[in-house]
Amino acid sequence: IYVAGGTVEETGTWQNQGVPYIIGSSVVVEGDAGAYLTIENGTVLKFLADRHISIGHSKSGGLKADSVTFTTAAGTPQRGDWSGLWFYNRCSDAECQLTNCRVEYGGGDNYGNIWIEDARPTITGCYIAHSDAWGIYLEGSEYPDPDELEANNTFEDNAQGNVRRP
């Protein structure tokens, strides 16, 4: 399923269709009344180079994913193949949850597979690996506890380390 990119402005669910979603251009999740995207269990998202999902940058937004794979669309995976998942200060923290997900081969933006700036998403039970930078990059004055992120997730082969602390 090819996703051309753009803004998700209304709450909805991307269902597991049994084939990957190919993210062809970056996706922004936010809306005037809040936009909350749920990605169904077992879904696979494959990103083309330099693509990302950003949540809550200019308006309220949320992303919930349980047992979802976020990875590269490249035939031979390499660190930094795509940019990552970006959580910003207008995230509705209660609506931002990654549970038991795989987030791999990102960090092409020199931040990490997951970038968090002044937001507090819940990230637990995830496998975060093969970033060209950090597994999780924390920035700003509000973010999840770095020790809890390291204790509650599995990290492997991230070029600059597991969790970047501001």
Side-chain angles (χ1 to χ4, degrees):
I1 300 170
Y2 186 81
V3 178
T7 302
V8 175
E9 296 180 285
E10 294 184 17
T11 297
T13 300
W14 288 2
Q15 297 179 341
N16 183 351
Q17 301 290 336
V19 296
Y21 285 78
I22 306 299
I23 309 303
S25 191
S26 295
V27 174
V28 176
V29 182
E30 62 185 23
D32 289 332
Y36 308 108
L37 176 61
T38 300
I39 303 173
E40 200 170 77
N41 294 10
T43 302
V44 175
L45 276 66
K46 293 185 173 187
F47 292 78
L48 296 179
D50 302 323
R51 305 305 187 239
H52 65 272
I53 294 180
S54 112
I55 305 99
H57 183 257
S58 299
K59 300 174 185 175
S60 182
L63 174 68
K64 287 186 178 179
D66 185 349
S67 304
V68 171
T69 298
F70 300 90
T71 191
T72 177
T76 304
Q78 301 289 320
R79 289 182 186 167
D81 278 347
W82 62 289
S83 294
L85 303 175
W86 301 350
F87 293 92
Y88 288 98
N89 64 330
R90 289 183 179 84
C91 284
S92 175
D93 294 336
E95 298 294 329
C96 292
Q97 301 173 14
L98 300 178
T99 308
N100 304 316
C101 292
R102 293 181 69 90
V103 187
E104 56 190 9
Y105 298 107
D109 57 5
N110 295 315
Y111 291 102
N113 282 349
I114 301 170
W115 177 29
I116 301 170
E117 181 180 354
D118 288 322
R120 292 183 184 267
T122 300
I123 302 171
T124 187
C126 294
Y127 174 75
I128 302 165
H130 313 298
S131 171
D132 199 36
W134 295 89
I136 299 175
Y137 187 100
L138 302 176
E139 186 168 55
S141 59
E142 290 189 44
Y143 42 82
D145 181 296
D147 293 329
E148 287 183 19
L149 288 171
E150 288 210 51
N152 296 325
N153 296 285
T154 302
F155 295 87
E156 181 181 355
D157 187 38
N158 297 300
Q160 295 181 18
N162 296 339
V163 178
R164 188 261 186 191
R165 298 161 189 253

